[in-house]
Amino acid sequence: MISIRSSRGRRRAPAVLALTTALALSATACGDDGSGAAGDKGNEGSGKGEITFWDNNGGVRTDVWKEIIADFEKANPNIKVNYVGIPAESVQSKYDTAIQGGGLPDVGGVGAAMLAGIAAQGALEPLDERIDDSSLKGKLNTGMVDSVRSAGGGDQMYTVPTSANNGTLWYRTDLFKAAGLDAPTTWSKFYEAADKLTDAKKNKFGYTIRGGEGSIAQAIDATYGQSGITSFWNGDKTTINDPKNVQALEKYVGLYKKDTPSADVNNDFKKMVAQWDSGQIGMLSHNLGSYQDHVKALGTDKFRGIPNPTLDDGTRVQVSNPVDGLGLFKSSKNKSAAWKFIEFAASHESNSKWNESAGAIPANTEAAKDAWVQKAEPTKLAAEALNDGSIKIVQLPYYLPDWNTISKADNEPNFQKVLLGKMSAKDFLDTLADQLNKAQAEWKQQNQ
């Protein structure tokens, strides 16, 4: 997922070492402004002054972060937080550039999907000791802690988890009622509804599919959900191209242009959500994060958000969803102040405020008990499904430094080819499997 990456894993360590050493030698002191590159060790600083925070979903969550920052600055008048909102689609390249050339923030939002690559370059501060000495000790969801620890390589925590999302099937209850359809709780009912709600001549469609940026995770989720396969690996080989998965993906992409708009081939999540909110489309697969957008567009009585469909026998399989978190960058010149901000942002009140805005599942265990979680049905249903043991989770290999690159840049164009009929589902999954098997082999060799 980063430009110095291991496909090629055996070359990663010396290349990164040479780069970071050169950067460390050339870096100049910047006071407490926090700027630096991956090789800069930084220091604790004065605990006062300015720090810089990069929001990894800028624009979408800017308002709530500014509220939390204002609360923090009121409680800590000697610290000023400079907020930088970075759109989700460009945050990876922003970190890549700063890791190599300098300008990293003190604190940054780092999701589990990109954590391995950033941690592998030594850009993040291990946080276990800071957490143990803080008010957060014992108050972070253990499952989310395990996820970020695993994503970072298994030994250290490189982010403080803040939230978990979950794959959600949003559907228009008004359209379903008018068509006499049951809720799309199973894959059979999902496909039935997609067909019945489509009238292309009237610009009505049963589903909107994600064909643009971010398409791979959604496609993989739908694939494993239908095949019922519950493990991403069979020994050292991925199951992604198992014949059952090939068959499932073929059925899923068969919706394109039959039960979806043709423009969906270019859909990122913003286009997909906006289209569903404003049009006559029956269903949308996204996560809990779009809940407030739907409420603003449709009110609360025209839609529902439910966990992904089950197989006909009631089995629900889904892929693991990345846990979002806050990382402390090793190059920070004011780690003391930066940690105070992370601790504050992950505290009960702030974590509850952020997750209520996002409709996500709080990492702070006290925040997870707040009344709004019970009132927000999609979040409540997701949390219950995740905690009651009924879901079989396919754990995606976020720990692979190349995971983000393989699952995004390397294969999103290929998925568009599949939708357009220029590449078969089998060839697509075989290509993906070959890349993943190589990345897994290199990772194991480096971590023996």
Side-chain angles (χ1 to χ4, degrees):
M1 65 162 264
I2 49 181
S3 52
I4 303 175
R5 63 183 190 269
S6 151
S7 70
R8 317 105 18 198
R10 287 181 289 277
R11 297 197 296 272
R12 178 191 294 274
V16 172
L17 179 60
L19 173 63
T20 54
T21 301
L23 289 170
L25 291 172
S26 62
T28 56
C30 302
D32 280 0
D33 68 357
S35 61
D40 189 338
K41 293 183 179 179
N43 56 64
E44 287 298 307
S46 65
K48 303 177 182 179
E50 297 186 10
I51 59 171
T52 297
F53 164 56
W54 285 7
D55 174 9
N56 59 336
N57 199 3
V60 178
R61 304 290 169 227
T62 295
D63 289 345
V64 68
W65 271 121
K66 288 191 173 180
E67 282 187 37
I68 291 169
I69 288 169
D71 293 342
F72 173 77
E73 290 178 340
K74 183 177 180 180
N76 298 270
N78 293 321
I79 303 174
K80 174 177 172 54
V81 180
N82 296 312
Y83 171 89
V84 180
I86 303 171
E89 58 268 23
S90 58
V91 70
Q92 175 184 327
S93 61
K94 185 79 171 176
Y95 279 131
D96 290 350
T97 300
I99 285 171
Q100 297 176 53
L104 284 166
D106 300 273
V107 179
V110 180
M114 66 175 63
L115 176 58
I118 296 175
Q121 294 187 83
L124 291 166
E125 184 91 352
L127 298 176
D128 292 85
E129 291 185 7
R130 293 180 191 267
I131 292 171
D132 284 344
D133 292 337
S134 78
S135 60
L136 298 176
K137 183 177 181 180
K139 295 182 180 179
L140 297 173
N141 180 285
T142 55
M144 297 187 204
V145 167
D146 290 343
S147 292
V148 298
R149 193 183 298 280
S150 175
D155 296 325
Q156 299 274 1
M157 280 185 68
Y158 289 105
T159 62
V160 172
T162 54
S163 65
N165 226 316
N166 200 53
T168 301
L169 181 61
W170 303 98
Y171 72 99
R172 288 283 299 269
T173 51
D174 55 342
L175 300 182
F176 270 68
K177 183 177 181 180
L181 288 165
D182 293 334
T185 53
T186 68
W187 285 105
S188 296
K189 291 178 179 179
F190 166 82
Y191 282 107
E192 178 189 359
D195 280 335
K196 191 166 184 179
L197 293 174
T198 296
D199 187 344
K201 292 180 180 179
K202 295 183 179 180
N203 202 34
K204 295 180 180 181
F205 298 94
Y207 187 60
T208 176
I209 199 168
R210 188 168 183 168
E213 204 240 332
S215 60
I216 304 301
Q218 180 175 304
I220 291 175
D221 205 9
T223 297
Y224 278 96
Q226 295 174 82
S227 73
I229 295 171
T230 58
S231 176
F232 195 79
W233 300 105
N234 182 9
D236 291 332
K237 302 296 182 183
T238 179
T239 60
I240 191 73
N241 60 336
D242 183 282
K244 291 182 180 179
N245 277 338
V246 173
Q247 184 179 17
L249 184 61
E250 287 173 343
K251 187 170 185 178
Y252 182 68
V253 299
L255 292 170
Y256 175 65
K257 288 202 333 185
K258 181 172 77 75
D259 293 327
T260 80
S262 59
D264 281 6
V265 69
N266 295 312
N267 266 354
D268 59 12
F269 87 89
K270 292 179 182 177
K271 293 175 184 175
M272 187 173 62
V273 168
Q275 180 173 257
W276 190 73
D277 285 346
S278 63
Q280 291 291 305
I281 297 177
M283 296 177 290
L284 160 74
S285 294
H286 192 232
N287 54 46
L288 294 168
S290 56
Y291 175 68
Q292 293 297 339
D293 294 320
H294 306 327
V295 171
K296 290 176 184 177
L298 302 169
T300 58
D301 59 348
K302 291 183 179 180
F303 76 95
R304 285 186 75 204
I306 60 176
N308 285 344
T310 70
L311 297 172
D312 288 341
D313 65 3
T315 301
R316 178 177 284 114
V317 179
Q318 69 176 55
V319 300
S320 54
N321 285 279
V323 174
D324 208 2
L326 296 173
L328 173 60
F329 282 86
K330 195 174 290 185
S331 59
S332 171
K333 303 299 190 299
N334 200 353
K335 294 177 186 177
S336 177
W339 174 251
K340 287 180 183 178
F341 176 66
I342 292 175
E343 186 178 7
F344 185 90
S347 67
H348 177 178
E349 183 177 352
S350 297
N351 192 240
S352 184
K353 180 181 290 188
W354 191 94
N355 281 282
E356 183 175 9
S357 172
I361 303 168
N364 186 294
T365 54
E366 293 175 334
K369 298 175 183 177
D370 285 351
W372 70 264
V373 176
Q374 301 303 311
K375 293 178 182 177
E377 186 194 32
T379 304
K380 178 185 177 183
L381 292 175
E384 288 175 350
L386 287 174
N387 293 326
D388 69 8
S390 65
I391 293 183
K392 299 181 186 302
I393 303 291
V394 178
Q395 294 293 339
L396 296 180
Y398 298 126
Y399 58 85
L400 293 178
D402 274 351
W403 167 253
N404 225 27
T405 296
I406 291 172
S407 64
K408 290 182 178 289
D410 285 356
N411 283 288
E412 285 175 354
N414 282 344
F415 185 68
Q416 289 182 317
K417 291 179 182 178
V418 177
L419 291 177
L420 295 170
K422 297 179 179 180
M423 187 177 195
S424 71
K426 183 178 186 305
D427 286 346
F428 169 75
L429 292 178
D430 283 345
T431 299
L432 185 57
D434 183 62
Q435 293 170 331
L436 288 164
N437 290 337
K438 289 177 180 177
Q440 172 76 351
E442 290 169 357
W443 182 85
K444 289 191 72 172
Q445 182 177 12
Q446 292 168 9
N447 290 274
Q448 285 177 345

